[in-house]
Amino acid sequence: MQSPQSIKSIQAGLLDGSLKMETRVDNHLASIKKSEDLNIYIEVFEEEIRKAAEELQEKINTHPDKLGKLFGVVFSIKDVLCYKDHKVTAASKILDGFESQFTATAIQRILDEDGLIIGRTNCDEFAMGSSNENSVYGACKNGHGDNRVPGGSSGGAAVSVQMHTCDVALGTDTGGSVRQPAAFCGVVGMKPTYGRISRYGLIAYASSFDQLGLLGHHTEDIATVLEVVSGKDSFDATSSNTPVDKYADLQAIENKKFAYFNEVVNHPKLNENIKSSTFDLFGKLKEKGHTVDDVEFEYLDYLVPTYYVLTTAEASSNLSRYDGVRYGHRSKEIKSFNDFYHKTRTEGFGLEVKRRIMLGTFVLSSGYYDAYYSKAQKVRNKISKAITKMLEEYDYIIMPTTTDIAWEIGAFDKDPVSVYLSDVFTVLANLCGLPAVSVPLGKDANGHSYGIQLISSKYNEAKLLNAAFSFQNIT
Amino acid sequence: MEINEELILKLEKLSRLNLSQEDRTVIKDDLKSILNMIDKLQEVDTENVEPLIYLNQEKYEWRPDEVSNELPRRDALKNAPAANEEYFSVPKVLNI
């Protein structure tokens, strides 16, 4: 497979005529056809994108001065993002047939800058999962080819980039759902600061954790797109009014301070290849004049428990809206008032979603609220304070994105806790609302990809992307 | 803390779910192991620690309270499982 072009070279090619928009779209659609068995897309907007490509080519020919910043860039969108007059289901039966009444702000900003949308990608139901196996459409598979998960929940998004079916994928990251699949599929995945990108038009899972994220082949591309989709939005009160930096002006980093945790790099579940690549990288960073320090962090074992208490609580509340009254699935077997809700929801939600709603309901229920929900919010505060303090002294926290490579489909069907615990390295950024990026670090002897993760302080996306950019040349 | 059938039934009722016996057993066992995991939080000293609730601590910006029609009625009704021209419809559930 030829190496993928960056946005910059795509746009240069379109302007000098060596690339044609119709051909680009043909190639992407052909890649989708070729990888149909991977179950990447829930729906491909084939006719629509062909038409958009034709119109854009016309604009390139006649009004090259009026082209938007993302002209010619082909995006996939995760099936939790609303796009007016297109279906969106969160990979759930409960939203079967639902059609968006408005467009998510991030998608609107892409369209306004002449980006094109090729289709909506598979994911875990309501973004709840780490493997893209919990989808009503069936599991999405890793393009590596030996029946492995792509990671999740934005699994389809990661494979859509991996298999060259689009240039950049729009995903969402509540506890690692962009970074972990990026690591498993050998692509770059970034989750910006909480509130950096508007969540308007994103189907809510856990509102104080959810953030849109981007997946692509090149850090430069992610920087270019992030600049467009970030910024205040009057439709999302939690979106930040902090000015958006010029992320795309990437600079190589010099003389930076990296913090790592001994408990992470010596984690009992850490894959040996990942461990040795991580230490190799630390060595290279030191050679280049950076500082890499082992820093004390006492909360590693509390990250996943805090994350699951709070996200399930928020989910149980957010998902109460699926009642069969105004939209979505409604049971046909209704004989009483209680049947209406109970049967509708029981038929509509999959097992993992039910499990999380039940757990969330438990931690919020009378008698347990203080012991679990309120307790977890306090622990979150301690974690956040400790990390904020660390990032006053260090530029980045560095650690592997995952403990292991992608597992075989079905391997953890009967063991949800093991899957939850596998999120241990990614949930930290969401607990603290911090930006984080996963960059490909290496492959094992069988070609399975893994990634290295960087976290920086709030709204320091530029600094984070500069490091990711520099890593592309080191790793 | 004991996770028994009674607690599961109570949570189903609060969650407006009605699990099959098979799912109920699966979820009961899973909740046991999940609670075992999250009970670890009790080890952390949180005396005098405030809960972290809002991630974005920026000052809220007020906007004028102006009427706007973001979602026309026709669009709002378009995904309804049942509706007439003006309202969502639900089956009769009360016996008056």
Side-chain angles (χ1 to χ4, degrees):
Chain A
M1 211 173 276
Q2 69 184 65
S3 81
Q5 284 185 290
S6 68
I7 292 179
K8 214 174 179 177
S9 77
I10 291 164
Q11 293 184 335
L14 287 168
L15 284 177
D16 71 21
S18 61
L19 283 177
K20 290 287 172 213
M21 205 51 230
E22 288 93 332
T23 322
R24 293 209 72 229
V25 164
D26 278 346
N27 291 342
H28 285 313
L29 289 168
S31 300
I32 292 178
K33 281 248 147 44
K34 247 189 336 208
S35 52
E36 250 170 6
D37 59 317
L38 301 177
N39 204 11
I40 307 170
Y41 284 87
I42 293 169
E43 188 184 0
V44 180
F45 308 141
E46 179 167 346
E47 207 173 305
E48 198 181 324
I49 196 168
R50 282 192 197 282
K51 192 161 167 275
E54 212 175 288
E55 286 168 8
L56 180 63
Q57 186 61 55
E58 181 65 21
K59 191 172 175 185
I60 294 168
N61 298 343
T62 55
H63 295 98
D65 52 318
K66 294 210 173 104
L67 291 166
K69 285 182 192 157
L70 300 178
F71 82 91
V73 185
V74 175
F75 290 84
S76 71
I77 55 173
K78 185 178 179 180
D79 192 37
V80 290
L81 294 162
C82 293
Y83 181 13
K84 193 172 176 2
D85 298 328
H86 293 74
K87 291 195 165 76
V88 60
T89 69
S92 179
K93 183 182 168 186
I94 210 152
L95 276 172
D96 187 28
F98 183 89
E99 233 171 58
S100 296
Q101 294 126 321
F102 53 86
T103 298
T105 299
I107 295 179
Q108 192 58 55
R109 290 184 180 180
I110 286 169
L111 295 170
D112 290 347
E113 294 291 340
D114 291 329
L116 296 88
I117 314 285
I118 199 162
R120 52 193 175 98
T121 52
N122 205 345
C123 57
D124 284 299
E125 185 178 359
F126 286 100
M128 295 180 190
S130 310
S131 63
N132 205 147
E133 292 169 286
N134 312 319
S135 161
V136 74
Y137 305 102
C140 171
K141 292 180 184 172
N142 193 312
H144 181 260
D146 55 352
N147 204 39
R148 298 204 174 234
V149 300
S153 63
S154 312
V159 189
S160 78
V161 174
Q162 181 188 31
M163 299 313 285
H164 304 250
T165 69
C166 63
D167 304 313
V168 176
L170 217 47
T172 61
D173 191 314
T174 304
S177 286
V178 158
R179 291 160 285 150
Q180 182 251 27
F184 282 179
C185 295
V187 302
V188 183
M190 194 222 192
K191 166 225 175 284
T193 310
Y194 178 82
R196 182 67 300 181
I197 305 176
S198 165
R199 288 182 294 118
Y200 180 69
L202 160 61
I203 294 174
Y205 157 22
S207 307
S208 80
F209 293 79
D210 293 343
Q211 179 56 207
L212 277 80
L214 302 166
L215 302 97
H217 292 289
H218 310 281
T219 305
E220 304 91 295
D221 294 354
I222 286 173
T224 302
V225 178
L226 187 66
E227 224 176 278
V228 170
V229 295
S230 294
K232 185 70 185 170
D233 174 24
S234 58
F235 289 134
D236 175 6
T238 63
S239 67
S240 171
N241 48 30
T242 306
V244 177
D245 294 328
K246 294 269 171 238
Y247 305 130
D249 298 337
L250 293 166
Q251 313 283 334
I253 53 165
E254 277 172 41
N255 207 12
K256 295 291 180 198
K257 289 179 82 177
F258 294 82
Y260 75 90
F261 311 143
N262 190 46
E263 297 81 358
V264 163
V265 293
N266 288 306
H267 196 278
K269 293 210 169 122
L270 187 62
N271 175 301
E272 281 303 321
N273 289 303
I274 301 181
K275 185 174 172 173
S276 64
S277 299
T278 302
F279 279 109
D280 284 352
L281 176 65
F282 289 177
K284 286 178 194 164
L285 288 170
K286 285 178 192 163
E287 274 171 34
K288 289 200 175 276
H290 302 293
T291 308
V292 184
D293 285 347
D294 173 8
V295 173
E296 180 83 23
F297 178 61
E298 55 182 311
Y299 299 111
L300 194 70
D301 290 342
Y302 306 102
L303 300 179
V304 172
T306 308
Y307 173 81
Y308 275 93
V309 169
L310 296 176
T311 53
T312 57
E314 293 185 23
S316 77
S317 171
N318 270 329
L319 271 58
S320 65
R321 73 190 65 179
Y322 301 101
D323 57 9
V325 175
R326 294 147 298 153
Y327 48 78
H329 174 74
R330 180 188 288 183
S331 176
K332 295 192 169 48
E333 321 242 330
I334 295 161
K335 295 195 179 63
S336 71
F337 179 65
N338 277 332
D339 275 0
F340 189 95
Y341 298 125
H342 285 81
K343 291 202 167 146
T344 292
R345 288 165 61 80
T346 305
E347 291 167 8
F349 291 133
L351 185 64
E352 181 59 28
V353 174
K354 286 173 182 155
R355 182 157 37 223
R356 295 199 195 192
I357 291 175
M358 293 279 282
L359 176 63
T361 302
F362 172 74
V363 300
L364 288 174
S365 65
S366 164
Y368 303 105
Y369 181 95
D370 287 333
Y372 293 106
Y373 183 65
S374 188
K375 180 84 184 178
Q377 286 183 313
K378 290 174 184 170
V379 178
R380 188 182 194 183
N381 202 2
K382 286 193 98 166
I383 295 168
S384 180
K385 284 209 161 81
I387 292 293
T388 304
K389 195 157 170 262
M390 197 179 295
L391 286 169
E392 280 165 14
E393 196 183 335
Y394 287 89
D395 296 293
Y396 309 99
I397 295 169
I398 185 168
M399 64 177 116
T401 313
T402 57
T403 52
D404 210 342
I405 55 162
W407 56 87
E408 280 185 51
I409 289 176
F412 290 106
D413 273 358
K414 299 212 179 316
D415 190 4
V417 173
S418 284
V419 177
Y420 293 178
L421 287 169
S422 75
D423 294 338
V424 58
F425 298 162
T426 48
V427 295
L428 177 64
N430 305 77
L431 281 164
C432 307
L434 297 171
V437 63
S438 173
V439 185
L441 176 63
K443 289 180 179 184
D444 70 9
N446 298 313
H448 302 117
S449 306
Y450 47 87
I452 190 84
Q453 181 187 213
L454 290 162
I455 302 174
S456 73
S457 54
K458 280 188 183 175
Y459 305 109
N460 254 321
E461 278 79 5
K463 187 165 153 182
L464 193 63
L465 289 164
N466 283 341
F469 171 67
S470 307
F471 274 31
Q472 281 184 176
N473 305 324
I474 302 178
T475 56
Chain B
M1 128 119 262
E2 202 203 340
I3 307 291
N4 52 29
E5 182 115 348
E6 194 189 342
L7 176 72
I8 296 292
L9 288 169
K10 184 185 151 201
L11 293 176
E12 282 182 43
K13 197 172 162 219
L14 290 170
S15 309
R16 301 290 184 271
L17 290 169
N18 191 0
L19 301 179
S20 65
Q21 195 53 46
E22 195 190 342
D23 282 358
R24 188 171 293 141
T25 310
V26 169
I27 286 188
K28 189 173 82 180
D29 292 343
D30 291 343
L31 278 192
K32 272 184 199 164
S33 39
I34 296 168
L35 283 181
N36 195 30
M37 169 185 85
I38 64 179
D39 266 333
K40 203 163 171 54
L41 291 178
Q42 309 312 327
E43 295 170 8
V44 183
D45 177 11
T46 52
E47 190 80 29
N48 300 321
V49 177
E50 289 293 311
L52 178 58
I53 300 172
Y54 300 110
L55 269 282
N56 184 346
Q57 309 263 354
E58 286 168 19
K59 194 166 162 268
Y60 189 76
E61 281 184 21
W62 297 95
R63 59 171 169 78
D65 187 15
E66 283 164 358
V67 178
S68 66
N69 190 4
E70 302 290 355
L71 189 60
R73 188 196 301 253
R74 186 192 293 266
D75 288 352
L77 290 172
K78 104 173 173 179
N79 287 302
N84 61 22
E85 286 291 301
E86 290 180 279
Y87 299 107
F88 296 107
S89 313
V90 289
K92 186 180 174 198
V93 288
L94 296 174
N95 292 310
I96 304 170

